[in-house]
Amino acid sequence: MSIPRRDFLRFASVAGIAPAAIAGSWPVTSTAATPATATMPDADAGHQSPRWPGYNQAMVVDFLGSPGYFNYPQNPPLDRKMIDNARNSGITAMNVTVSGGDTLASLRRMAPWFANVERWPDVFRLVRSMDQLQDARASGRVGIILGFQDTTPYEGDLSRIDMFHDLGVRVVQLTYNVRNLVGDGCLEPGNAGLSTYGHEVVERLNALGSLVDLSHCGKRTTAEGIRASAAPVGITHTGCNAVMRHPRSKDDEELRAAADGGGVVGIYLMPFLTPGRIPTTDDVVAHIEHALDVCGEDHVGIGSDLSITPIDGSDEYWAAHREFVSGRIEAGIAAPAEDPEVLFTVPELNSHRRMDLIADALVARGHNDRIIEKVIGGNWVRLCGEVWKE
Protein backbone atom coordinates (compact mmCIF):
# COMPACT_ATOMS: atom_id res chain seq x y z
CA MET A 1 0.00 0.00 0.00
CA SER A 2 1.15 3.52 -0.76
CA ILE A 3 -0.65 6.77 -0.07
CA PRO A 4 -1.48 8.93 -3.09
CA ARG A 5 -0.35 12.51 -2.95
CA ARG A 6 -3.89 13.91 -2.66
CA ASP A 7 -4.66 11.66 0.35
CA PHE A 8 -1.40 12.59 2.05
CA LEU A 9 -2.24 16.27 1.70
CA ARG A 10 -5.67 15.57 3.14
CA PHE A 11 -4.03 14.13 6.27
CA ALA A 12 -1.97 17.31 6.53
CA SER A 13 -5.11 19.43 6.43
CA VAL A 14 -6.65 17.35 9.24
CA ALA A 15 -3.59 18.27 11.31
CA GLY A 16 -4.33 21.93 10.69
CA ILE A 17 -1.51 22.38 8.17
CA ALA A 18 -2.10 24.22 4.93
CA PRO A 19 -1.54 21.82 1.98
CA ALA A 20 0.76 24.37 0.35
CA ALA A 21 3.15 24.04 3.30
CA ILE A 22 3.91 20.44 2.44
CA ALA A 23 3.05 20.03 -1.23
CA GLY A 24 6.65 20.55 -2.33
CA SER A 25 7.83 17.62 -0.21
CA TRP A 26 6.67 15.16 -2.87
CA PRO A 27 10.05 14.79 -4.58
CA VAL A 28 11.30 15.02 -8.09
CA THR A 29 13.58 12.01 -8.08
CA SER A 30 17.20 12.40 -9.07
CA THR A 31 18.44 10.49 -12.09
CA ALA A 32 22.03 11.46 -11.49
CA ALA A 33 24.58 8.98 -10.27
CA THR A 34 26.06 9.24 -6.78
CA PRO A 35 29.37 11.12 -6.61
CA ALA A 36 31.94 9.43 -8.80
CA THR A 37 35.14 10.51 -7.05
CA ALA A 38 35.09 7.52 -4.73
CA THR A 39 37.87 6.93 -2.22
CA MET A 40 36.00 4.41 -0.08
CA PRO A 41 34.78 1.62 -2.38
CA ASP A 42 31.98 -0.78 -1.59
CA ALA A 43 33.56 -3.27 0.83
CA ASP A 44 31.94 -6.14 -1.03
CA ALA A 45 31.39 -4.76 -4.52
CA GLY A 46 32.22 -7.99 -6.29
CA HIS A 47 30.21 -10.24 -4.02
CA GLN A 48 27.13 -11.70 -5.74
CA SER A 49 26.10 -14.91 -3.97
CA PRO A 50 25.69 -15.20 -0.20
CA ARG A 51 28.39 -16.96 1.78
CA TRP A 52 25.87 -18.15 4.35
CA PRO A 53 23.57 -20.52 2.44
CA GLY A 54 20.50 -19.43 4.38
CA TYR A 55 20.70 -15.77 3.39
CA ASN A 56 18.49 -15.95 0.31
CA GLN A 57 15.75 -17.71 2.27
CA ALA A 58 15.93 -15.58 5.43
CA MET A 59 13.83 -12.62 6.47
CA VAL A 60 16.62 -10.02 6.57
CA VAL A 61 15.58 -6.96 8.58
CA ASP A 62 17.74 -3.93 9.39
CA PHE A 63 15.71 -2.10 12.00
CA LEU A 64 17.21 1.36 11.53
CA GLY A 65 18.48 2.66 8.21
CA SER A 66 17.50 3.84 4.76
CA PRO A 67 17.90 2.90 1.09
CA GLY A 68 19.14 6.46 0.51
CA TYR A 69 21.94 8.34 2.19
CA PHE A 70 21.38 8.44 5.93
CA ASN A 71 23.00 10.71 8.55
CA TYR A 72 23.46 13.15 5.71
CA PRO A 73 22.17 16.70 5.12
CA GLN A 74 18.81 17.24 3.44
CA ASN A 75 18.22 13.50 2.74
CA PRO A 76 18.81 13.80 -1.03
CA PRO A 77 16.43 11.95 -3.37
CA LEU A 78 17.16 8.40 -4.42
CA ASP A 79 19.24 7.90 -7.54
CA ARG A 80 19.82 4.88 -9.79
CA LYS A 81 22.70 3.53 -7.75
CA MET A 82 20.68 3.64 -4.54
CA ILE A 83 17.80 1.83 -6.23
CA ASP A 84 20.11 -0.88 -7.59
CA ASN A 85 21.76 -1.32 -4.20
CA ALA A 86 18.39 -1.70 -2.50
CA ARG A 87 17.23 -4.16 -5.15
CA ASN A 88 20.35 -6.31 -4.73
CA SER A 89 20.83 -6.03 -0.97
CA GLY A 90 18.83 -9.07 0.05
CA ILE A 91 17.18 -6.94 2.74
CA THR A 92 13.53 -7.72 3.38
CA ALA A 93 12.65 -4.58 5.34
CA MET A 94 14.04 -1.50 7.08
CA ASN A 95 12.82 0.88 9.76
CA VAL A 96 13.24 4.23 7.98
CA THR A 97 13.25 7.40 10.10
CA VAL A 98 10.69 9.98 8.98
CA SER A 99 10.37 12.15 12.09
CA GLY A 100 11.21 15.83 12.12
CA GLY A 101 11.13 18.31 14.94
CA ASP A 102 7.38 18.89 14.70
CA THR A 103 4.29 17.75 12.83
CA LEU A 104 4.95 19.73 9.66
CA ALA A 105 8.61 18.73 9.40
CA SER A 106 7.64 15.08 9.88
CA LEU A 107 4.99 15.18 7.17
CA ARG A 108 7.59 16.69 4.85
CA ARG A 109 9.98 13.81 5.63
CA MET A 110 7.29 11.19 5.10
CA ALA A 111 6.13 12.45 1.71
CA PRO A 112 9.19 11.29 -0.27
CA TRP A 113 8.77 7.72 0.95
CA PHE A 114 5.20 7.48 -0.29
CA ALA A 115 6.46 8.85 -3.60
CA ASN A 116 9.38 6.38 -3.71
CA VAL A 117 7.02 3.44 -3.21
CA GLU A 118 4.77 4.74 -5.99
CA ARG A 119 7.67 5.34 -8.38
CA TRP A 120 9.43 1.98 -7.80
CA PRO A 121 6.71 -0.51 -6.84
CA ASP A 122 8.92 -3.38 -7.99
CA VAL A 123 11.68 -2.36 -5.51
CA PHE A 124 9.85 -0.99 -2.45
CA ARG A 125 6.79 -1.92 -0.48
CA LEU A 126 5.25 0.13 2.33
CA VAL A 127 4.89 -2.13 5.37
CA ARG A 128 2.21 -1.48 7.98
CA SER A 129 1.33 -5.07 8.94
CA MET A 130 2.76 -8.57 9.14
CA ASP A 131 0.95 -9.58 5.93
CA GLN A 132 2.70 -6.74 4.11
CA LEU A 133 6.06 -7.68 5.64
CA GLN A 134 5.62 -11.25 4.42
CA ASP A 135 4.59 -9.93 1.01
CA ALA A 136 7.78 -7.86 0.80
CA ARG A 137 9.79 -11.05 1.30
CA ALA A 138 7.71 -13.10 -1.13
CA SER A 139 7.92 -10.44 -3.85
CA GLY A 140 11.63 -9.69 -3.36
CA ARG A 141 11.05 -6.05 -2.46
CA VAL A 142 12.49 -3.93 0.35
CA GLY A 143 9.78 -3.22 2.89
CA ILE A 144 9.71 0.37 4.14
CA ILE A 145 8.63 0.56 7.79
CA LEU A 146 8.05 4.19 8.76
CA GLY A 147 9.53 5.12 12.13
CA PHE A 148 10.08 8.08 14.43
CA GLN A 149 13.24 8.78 16.42
CA ASP A 150 11.48 11.30 18.65
CA THR A 151 7.97 12.07 19.89
CA THR A 152 8.24 15.81 19.18
CA PRO A 153 6.14 15.39 15.99
CA TYR A 154 3.10 14.91 18.26
CA GLU A 155 3.55 18.42 19.71
CA GLY A 156 1.97 17.30 22.97
CA ASP A 157 -1.26 16.25 21.22
CA LEU A 158 -2.17 12.59 21.77
CA SER A 159 -4.56 12.65 18.79
CA ARG A 160 -1.57 13.11 16.48
CA ILE A 161 -0.32 9.69 17.54
CA ASP A 162 -3.42 8.26 15.85
CA MET A 163 -2.94 10.46 12.79
CA PHE A 164 0.65 9.36 12.22
CA HIS A 165 -0.29 5.75 12.92
CA ASP A 166 -2.95 6.02 10.21
CA LEU A 167 -0.22 7.27 7.87
CA GLY A 168 1.83 4.15 8.59
CA VAL A 169 4.22 4.96 11.44
CA ARG A 170 4.87 1.69 13.25
CA VAL A 171 8.01 2.40 15.32
CA VAL A 172 8.26 5.31 17.77
CA GLN A 173 11.36 6.19 19.79
CA LEU A 174 10.29 8.07 22.90
CA THR A 175 13.16 10.58 23.01
CA TYR A 176 16.19 11.60 21.03
CA ASN A 177 19.42 12.52 22.85
CA VAL A 178 17.93 15.46 24.73
CA ARG A 179 14.83 16.15 26.84
CA ASN A 180 11.34 16.32 25.39
CA LEU A 181 7.81 16.26 26.84
CA VAL A 182 7.92 12.47 27.22
CA GLY A 183 11.21 12.07 29.11
CA ASP A 184 14.97 12.52 29.04
CA GLY A 185 17.37 11.43 26.32
CA CYS A 186 20.70 9.79 26.99
CA LEU A 187 22.66 13.08 27.03
CA GLU A 188 20.48 14.82 29.65
CA PRO A 189 22.43 15.00 32.94
CA GLY A 190 19.20 15.20 34.98
CA ASN A 191 18.25 11.65 33.90
CA ALA A 192 14.53 12.19 34.56
CA GLY A 193 12.20 9.35 33.70
CA LEU A 194 8.87 9.23 31.91
CA SER A 195 6.55 12.18 32.46
CA THR A 196 2.82 11.78 33.00
CA TYR A 197 2.38 12.66 29.33
CA GLY A 198 5.07 10.08 28.51
CA HIS A 199 3.05 7.34 30.20
CA GLU A 200 0.02 8.41 28.16
CA VAL A 201 2.08 8.25 24.95
CA VAL A 202 3.27 4.72 25.75
CA GLU A 203 -0.27 3.63 26.57
CA ARG A 204 -1.58 5.02 23.27
CA LEU A 205 1.23 3.45 21.23
CA ASN A 206 0.47 0.10 22.87
CA ALA A 207 -3.24 0.43 22.11
CA LEU A 208 -2.58 1.22 18.44
CA GLY A 209 0.08 -1.45 17.98
CA SER A 210 3.17 0.70 17.41
CA LEU A 211 6.54 -0.51 18.67
CA VAL A 212 7.96 1.55 21.54
CA ASP A 213 11.66 2.24 20.81
CA LEU A 214 14.04 3.22 23.63
CA SER A 215 17.32 3.56 21.73
CA HIS A 216 18.29 7.17 22.50
CA CYS A 217 16.48 7.32 25.83
CA GLY A 218 18.19 8.10 29.11
CA LYS A 219 18.70 5.41 31.71
CA ARG A 220 15.57 6.16 33.76
CA THR A 221 13.41 6.74 30.69
CA THR A 222 14.59 3.39 29.31
CA ALA A 223 13.83 1.51 32.52
CA GLU A 224 10.47 3.21 33.04
CA GLY A 225 9.55 2.81 29.37
CA ILE A 226 10.11 -0.96 29.61
CA ARG A 227 7.98 -1.16 32.76
CA ALA A 228 5.24 1.10 31.37
CA SER A 229 4.82 -0.73 28.08
CA ALA A 230 2.23 -3.48 28.00
CA ALA A 231 3.94 -4.82 24.87
CA PRO A 232 7.56 -5.84 24.26
CA VAL A 233 9.83 -2.92 23.37
CA GLY A 234 12.66 -2.40 20.93
CA ILE A 235 16.05 -0.85 21.52
CA THR A 236 16.51 -0.70 17.79
CA HIS A 237 20.04 0.72 17.44
CA THR A 238 22.55 0.64 20.28
CA GLY A 239 25.69 -1.03 21.60
CA CYS A 240 26.77 -2.74 24.81
CA ASN A 241 28.44 -0.65 27.50
CA ALA A 242 30.09 -3.75 28.93
CA VAL A 243 32.07 -4.05 25.67
CA MET A 244 32.81 -0.32 25.21
CA ARG A 245 31.15 2.45 27.19
CA HIS A 246 29.31 5.25 25.41
CA PRO A 247 26.18 7.28 26.33
CA ARG A 248 24.36 5.95 23.25
CA SER A 249 24.87 2.35 24.35
CA LYS A 250 23.07 0.41 27.08
CA ASP A 251 24.09 -1.25 30.32
CA ASP A 252 23.48 -4.96 30.83
CA GLU A 253 20.57 -4.31 33.18
CA GLU A 254 18.77 -2.36 30.45
CA LEU A 255 19.49 -5.00 27.81
CA ARG A 256 18.31 -7.76 30.13
CA ALA A 257 15.14 -5.92 31.14
CA ALA A 258 14.17 -5.34 27.50
CA ALA A 259 14.77 -9.02 26.70
CA ASP A 260 12.93 -10.24 29.79
CA GLY A 261 9.87 -8.38 28.53
CA GLY A 262 10.14 -10.05 25.13
CA GLY A 263 11.88 -7.15 23.38
CA VAL A 264 14.75 -7.03 20.89
CA VAL A 265 18.04 -5.12 21.02
CA GLY A 266 19.58 -4.02 17.70
CA ILE A 267 23.34 -3.49 17.41
CA TYR A 268 24.36 -0.46 15.35
CA LEU A 269 27.35 -0.08 12.99
CA MET A 270 28.50 3.29 14.29
CA PRO A 271 31.73 4.78 15.71
CA PHE A 272 30.07 4.61 19.14
CA LEU A 273 31.00 0.91 19.22
CA THR A 274 34.65 1.88 19.73
CA PRO A 275 35.02 5.51 20.80
CA GLY A 276 38.48 6.74 19.89
CA ARG A 277 39.06 4.42 16.96
CA ILE A 278 37.32 3.16 13.84
CA PRO A 279 35.26 0.01 14.47
CA THR A 280 35.88 -3.27 12.67
CA THR A 281 33.71 -6.28 11.90
CA ASP A 282 35.23 -8.00 14.94
CA ASP A 283 33.98 -5.13 17.10
CA VAL A 284 30.46 -5.48 15.71
CA VAL A 285 30.53 -9.20 16.42
CA ALA A 286 31.82 -8.57 19.95
CA HIS A 287 28.78 -6.39 20.69
CA ILE A 288 26.43 -8.93 19.08
CA GLU A 289 27.91 -11.80 21.08
CA HIS A 290 27.74 -9.89 24.35
CA ALA A 291 24.09 -9.05 23.66
CA LEU A 292 23.44 -12.72 22.93
CA ASP A 293 25.03 -13.69 26.24
CA VAL A 294 22.96 -11.14 28.18
CA CYS A 295 19.65 -11.22 26.29
CA GLY A 296 19.51 -14.67 24.72
CA GLU A 297 19.28 -15.64 21.07
CA ASP A 298 15.65 -14.56 20.69
CA HIS A 299 16.31 -10.93 21.56
CA VAL A 300 19.21 -9.63 19.42
CA GLY A 301 19.15 -8.08 15.96
CA ILE A 302 20.76 -5.40 13.79
CA GLY A 303 19.81 -1.73 13.54
CA SER A 304 22.72 -0.43 11.48
CA ASP A 305 21.85 3.29 11.56
CA LEU A 306 23.23 3.43 8.00
CA SER A 307 22.22 3.65 4.37
CA ILE A 308 22.04 0.53 2.23
CA THR A 309 24.17 2.42 -0.28
CA PRO A 310 27.77 2.38 0.93
CA ILE A 311 29.55 5.62 1.72
CA ASP A 312 31.64 6.56 -1.32
CA GLY A 313 34.22 8.65 0.52
CA SER A 314 34.32 11.32 -2.18
CA ASP A 315 35.27 14.92 -1.47
CA GLU A 316 31.60 15.80 -1.90
CA TYR A 317 30.52 13.21 0.67
CA TRP A 318 33.18 14.30 3.15
CA ALA A 319 32.06 17.92 2.83
CA ALA A 320 28.43 16.96 3.46
CA HIS A 321 29.41 14.75 6.40
CA ARG A 322 31.40 17.56 8.02
CA GLU A 323 28.48 19.93 7.54
CA PHE A 324 26.03 17.44 9.05
CA VAL A 325 28.10 16.59 12.13
CA SER A 326 29.18 20.17 12.77
CA GLY A 327 25.54 21.22 12.68
CA ARG A 328 24.62 18.53 15.21
CA ILE A 329 27.44 19.60 17.52
CA GLU A 330 26.37 23.23 17.26
CA ALA A 331 22.75 22.28 18.02
CA GLY A 332 23.82 20.30 21.08
CA ILE A 333 22.34 17.00 19.88
CA ALA A 334 25.55 15.22 18.85
CA ALA A 335 26.70 12.32 20.98
CA PRO A 336 30.29 11.97 22.19
CA ALA A 337 32.53 10.51 19.46
CA GLU A 338 30.54 12.23 16.72
CA ASP A 339 33.44 13.74 14.82
CA PRO A 340 33.40 15.66 11.52
CA GLU A 341 36.55 13.71 10.60
CA VAL A 342 35.11 10.24 11.30
CA LEU A 343 32.57 8.75 8.90
CA PHE A 344 29.51 6.92 10.19
CA THR A 345 30.32 3.41 9.06
CA VAL A 346 32.27 0.24 9.76
CA PRO A 347 34.65 0.26 6.76
CA GLU A 348 34.77 -3.54 6.45
CA LEU A 349 30.96 -3.56 6.28
CA ASN A 350 30.63 -0.55 3.97
CA SER A 351 28.54 -2.53 1.51
CA HIS A 352 24.99 -2.89 0.26
CA ARG A 353 25.47 -6.56 1.24
CA ARG A 354 26.50 -5.81 4.82
CA MET A 355 23.81 -8.03 6.36
CA ASP A 356 25.25 -10.91 4.36
CA LEU A 357 28.74 -9.99 5.58
CA ILE A 358 27.52 -9.96 9.20
CA ALA A 359 26.02 -13.41 8.70
CA ASP A 360 29.35 -14.58 7.31
CA ALA A 361 31.21 -13.16 10.31
CA LEU A 362 28.86 -15.03 12.64
CA VAL A 363 29.48 -18.23 10.70
CA ALA A 364 33.22 -17.71 11.15
CA ARG A 365 32.67 -17.42 14.90
CA GLY A 366 30.89 -20.77 14.97
CA HIS A 367 27.29 -19.63 15.37
CA ASN A 368 24.68 -21.98 14.00
CA ASP A 369 22.09 -21.29 11.32
CA ARG A 370 19.28 -20.81 13.82
CA ILE A 371 21.04 -18.01 15.69
CA ILE A 372 22.23 -16.28 12.51
CA GLU A 373 18.73 -16.30 11.05
CA LYS A 374 17.36 -14.72 14.22
CA VAL A 375 20.04 -12.03 14.46
CA ILE A 376 19.84 -10.85 10.85
CA GLY A 377 16.08 -10.43 10.96
CA GLY A 378 14.07 -13.23 12.48
CA ASN A 379 13.87 -11.65 15.92
CA TRP A 380 12.55 -8.38 14.52
CA VAL A 381 9.91 -10.30 12.57
CA ARG A 382 8.83 -12.08 15.73
CA LEU A 383 8.68 -8.81 17.68
CA CYS A 384 6.62 -7.00 15.05
CA GLY A 385 4.25 -9.95 14.95
CA GLU A 386 3.68 -9.62 18.69
CA VAL A 387 3.32 -5.82 18.77
CA TRP A 388 1.62 -4.72 15.56
CA LYS A 389 -2.15 -4.95 15.38
CA GLU A 390 -3.61 -5.90 12.01
Side-chain angles (χ1 to χ4, degrees), residues 51-353:
R51 298 176 179 88
W52 177 55
Y55 190 81
N56 281 339
Q57 287 73 48
M59 295 280 281
V60 180
V61 180
D62 181 347
F63 223 66
L64 199 283
S66 175
Y69 273 157
F70 201 53
N71 298 317
Y72 193 86
Q74 288 85 50
N75 293 309
L78 301 182
D79 61 26
R80 286 190 297 267
K81 183 176 180 181
M82 294 170 182
I83 296 300
D84 289 343
N85 283 333
R87 194 194 310 268
N88 297 319
S89 67
I91 291 175
T92 304
M94 304 190 83
N95 165 26
V96 177
T97 299
V98 292
S99 53
D102 56 21
T103 297
L104 176 57
S106 301
L107 289 169
R108 283 176 168 162
R109 289 194 69 181
M110 295 176 75
W113 286 109
F114 296 123
N116 289 334
V117 171
E118 286 185 359
R119 183 177 176 86
W120 290 287
D122 59 324
V123 179
F124 300 118
R125 205 245 193 267
L126 189 65
V127 169
R128 301 157 52 108
S129 68
M130 289 305 297
D131 286 347
Q132 292 169 353
L133 180 58
Q134 294 290 347
D135 182 66
R137 177 69 189 89
S139 60
R141 292 178 288 176
V142 177
I144 303 298
I145 303 167
L146 302 180
F148 280 180
Q149 283 201 64
D150 209 337
T151 46
T152 54
Y154 301 142
E155 299 183 11
D157 183 350
L158 291 173
S159 70
R160 296 200 178 187
I161 300 177
D162 295 66
M163 183 194 80
F164 279 113
H165 187 85
D166 287 344
L167 282 168
V169 174
R170 291 296 180 270
V171 184
V172 178
Q173 185 174 276
L174 297 185
T175 76
Y176 198 63
N177 289 340
V178 295
R179 176 174 293 168
N180 66 19
L181 294 176
V182 164
D184 275 7
C186 61
L187 301 186
E188 283 290 343
N191 190 34
L194 279 184
S195 65
T196 300
Y197 169 69
H199 281 273
E200 294 172 342
V201 169
V202 171
E203 182 179 6
R204 190 63 195 144
L205 292 172
N206 287 164
L208 291 170
S210 285
L211 178 67
V212 173
D213 184 1
L214 301 168
S215 297
H216 283 254
C217 295
K219 193 171 182 66
R220 278 190 61 192
T221 302
T222 299
E224 293 177 12
I226 293 169
R227 290 197 297 268
S229 181
V233 302
I235 302 177
T236 65
H237 54 299
T238 192
C240 305
N241 275 330
V243 178
M244 189 71 75
R245 181 158 290 278
H246 187 275
R248 271 287 295 107
S249 294
K250 301 293 186 184
D251 292 330
D252 284 358
E253 63 193 88
E254 298 166 286
L255 303 176
R256 190 175 295 113
D260 287 348
V264 176
V265 173
I267 301 301
Y268 48 27
L269 309 185
M270 295 289 278
F272 312 144
L273 294 172
T274 56
R277 65 175 175 83
I278 296 172
T280 67
T281 302
D282 287 345
D283 295 315
V284 175
V285 172
H287 282 262
I288 292 172
E289 290 183 332
H290 183 80
L292 287 168
D293 289 342
V294 171
C295 301
E297 66 181 67
D298 294 321
H299 305 283
V300 181
I302 303 295
S304 70
D305 209 355
L306 299 176
S307 168
I308 292 177
T309 290
I311 291 171
D312 69 5
S314 65
D315 291 344
E316 181 182 343
Y317 192 94
W318 268 108
H321 170 77
R322 292 180 180 117
E323 173 193 342
F324 180 74
V325 176
S326 296
R328 286 171 56 81
I329 293 171
E330 183 177 351
I333 60 171
E338 284 194 40
D339 187 334
E341 302 305 319
V342 177
L343 293 175
F344 293 143
T345 191
V346 176
E348 295 171 343
L349 300 175
N350 186 42
S351 170
H352 67 295
R353 300 286 297 192

